[in-house]
Amino acid sequence: MTVYTVERTLPGITTEALAGAQTAAIDAAERSSAEGTPVRYLRSVFMPGDARCLCLFEAPSAEAVRRVNDAAGLPYSAVTEAMDLP
């Protein structure tokens, strides 16, 4: 599967709300996979200085990643194919 980056701007988010957003993304990805569209949440990086968050997902398409984030109720500005270079 392909890796996608989800870009978010989260001004004023608390640590607790950030953890809740991560849980929502994981849960929505698991529901999508259980329903037949495999999506896997990989990890996130939050940059508090500019309130930006980058989340990595593995999925068959950008649209599948958008659906997962919409189902989780999470805002995003872009979903882009990425190369995960650990």
Side-chain angles (χ1 to χ4, degrees), residues 1-7 38-44 54-66 69 78-86:
M1 278 194 289
T2 304
V3 174
Y4 294 91
T5 299
V6 176
E7 298 178 47
V39 177
R40 188 167 70 107
Y41 168 86
L42 299 175
R43 70 183 142 278
S44 295
L54 301 175
C55 302
L56 293 180
F57 290 83
E58 196 173 59
S61 68
E63 183 56 34
V65 174
R66 284 186 199 92
N69 282 271
V79 176
T80 310
E81 187 174 329
M83 293 176 67
D84 186 18
L85 305 170

Side-chain angles (χ1 to χ4, degrees), residues 16-34:
E16 294 81 16
L18 190 58
Q22 182 182 34
T23 298
I26 291 166
D27 291 347
E30 289 174 351
R31 281 192 307 275
S32 177
S33 295

